[in-house]
Amino acid sequence: MAAGKKLRICLVSSEVAPLAKTGGLADVSMALATYLHRAGHDVRVLMPCYDTIDAKSLIIVPVDFLQNIPISIGSRHGKYSIDTAILPGSDTPIYLLRCPDLYNRGKIYTNDADEHRRFILLSRAAIEMCQRMAFSPDIFSCHDWHTALIPLYLKTVYQWDRIFARTKTVLTIHNIGYQGIFSGDIIDDIGLHGAEGQLHQQDLGQGRINFLKTGVLHADQLTTVSPTHAQEILSDEYGMGLQDLLKARRSSLAGILNGVDDAEWNPATDPLIPKNFSAGSMAGKRVCKLALMDDLKLSGGADRPLVGIVTRLTGQKGIDLMEASLPRLLTERDFNIAVLGSGEPRYERFFESLQRAARDRVCFYRGYSNKLAHWIEAGSDFFLMPSLYEPCGLNQMYSLMYGTVPIVRQTGGLADAVQMVDPAKGSGTGIVFRDYNHTAFNWAMNAALDLFGNRPLMKKIISNGMSQDFSWNRQVNVYVNLFRALSKES
Ligand code: ADP
Ligand code: GLC
């Protein structure tokens, strides 16, 4: 393929913001699609049309030749349709896979017995959509376990179709902690028609089928969402059982740091925050902090440091370290905490009890709120992400852009995006600690609170952070170069 030639890409994801989002996968799918489209590539994005999607924000147009298409998954026969819409806030077209039977469940992911079928359909419908549109993709861009069967389908069930003769598959691993592991009984639903030998045989022998592992075996190219994590997942500590397969495929594995969509996350233009600000004009940040404290009923005024947390409440996010340290730290040091999140009940209970013990210093908003997420980024002095593992992480980058100093553990994209403060040189952008234990966590929290007391240094560190460039404009080119190199191979 000649350099500069526009690519044809089919991007398939279980989440695309703002329509369906549980975490960063949605932000990244949206941004990648939008920036590729903006760069002139022909991107066809497919996602499920969940009943949770706010249809009022969309003009949905049925694609006339993609209505009521019959499909069989194992012994079940059904129909699906594909409609089109424009992603709100962009001019990116998107295709919505409508199958109420599978996607009207009141939430994006379920523990229902047919969860595998919901994403088998997504994967097969993406391939069949290309066939029916006579769209011959250079690249299938697959994301996480939900779409990880696509590479195998293209090599087997759909291999006869010459439309895919030059198609390459790229599987992006956003979260290796979720692999889509099902009982071997679903083998007929996968429907490989004689090509079952291409599944991981040892797993099958043990009665399991692992969707992500299948993708790792069969995708032409693997990526994950930061260079450090691409190294980490080769190790026993972070590979979550896939490390040996990943090591065998090491030459086809790349780590590409996510970007920030500055149409949504930019303190100078953000319509969701009380007052805009920028590196050259920081007065608005103080206004945001005071408004946030007022809204969350936190005491102490602007002089008391405010630590923000916005996260899914899962083991991945290092909440155990907070449990072990924050109650005592709150008695030892003067600071406030604003928490937004929901997830595992034991972590929700922890933040509820932290809030009960010091209501004027801790506010826990249990739930999901995009507006409050923006306020916390804009109004906090520090942003806490002590993750056990973090493939990339977006909030540390949002924080740097919003003049909010990140406190992070040195893992994955946190290690790649945040540099430890060096007081002697005035360099660095945040507080970085290495070991996953409460001593290291305490050290980091104390270092952050000490930094707050050193106003000139704090100002310098904030300005270092705000001058970083995490834009998708740059990162999308890394994907394009990778896609082009792959296309040239065929
Ligand atoms: P992950 O995908 O592992 O959850 P990321 O840092 O990549 O972590 O992305 C999380 C995204 O989800 C960010 O955009 C963050 O602001 C958002 N988010 C997480 N929890 C909430 C919540 N409770 N309310 C609003 N936004 C949230
Ligand atoms: C995942 C990871 C997170 C990453 C996001 C988007 O859910 O946990 O670190 O930023 O995907 O790639």
Side-chain angles (χ1 to χ4, degrees), residues 294-438:
D294 191 44
D295 206 54
L296 302 183
K297 304 198 171 33
L298 294 169
S299 65
D303 290 339
R304 180 180 285 167
L306 174 59
V307 177
I309 300 167
V310 178
T311 187
R312 292 182 293 117
L313 297 175
T314 67
Q316 174 193 344
K317 300 296 181 179
I319 319 291
D320 302 289
L321 294 182
M322 301 189 204
E323 262 183 313
S325 294
L326 287 181
R328 172 125 183 230
L329 262 171
L330 276 163
T331 66
E332 292 171 353
R333 305 281 314 235
D334 188 33
F335 65 105
N336 287 342
I337 306 179
V339 191
L340 165 64
S342 63
E344 289 177 32
R346 59 171 275 217
Y347 296 135
E348 293 185 352
R349 280 196 299 274
F350 160 62
F351 282 116
E352 268 153 15
S353 78
L354 204 63
Q355 171 176 262
R356 240 187 339 267
R359 177 57 195 95
D360 67 322
R361 293 180 55 204
V362 178
C363 181
F364 172 41
Y365 181 100
R366 185 166 65 86
Y368 187 90
S369 162
N370 192 38
K371 179 170 173 226
L372 185 55
H374 282 248
W375 275 49
I376 290 180
E377 280 295 1
S380 301
D381 299 297
F382 297 99
F383 195 92
L384 186 54
M385 292 181 83
S387 305
L388 177 61
Y389 74 97
E390 196 62 76
C392 179
L394 297 172
N395 280 104
Q396 82 279 18
M397 297 192 276
Y398 302 157
S399 300
L400 290 167
M401 294 181 67
Y402 280 68
T404 301
V405 177
I407 306 168
V408 302
R409 195 169 90 81
Q410 194 177 54
T411 181
L414 302 176
D416 289 334
V418 185
Q419 283 79 48
M420 178 59 195
V421 167
D422 181 339
K425 295 190 189 137
S427 63
T429 55
I431 304 293
V432 184
F433 68 101
R434 200 185 60 190
D435 297 332
Y436 192 80
N437 61 43
H438 86 275

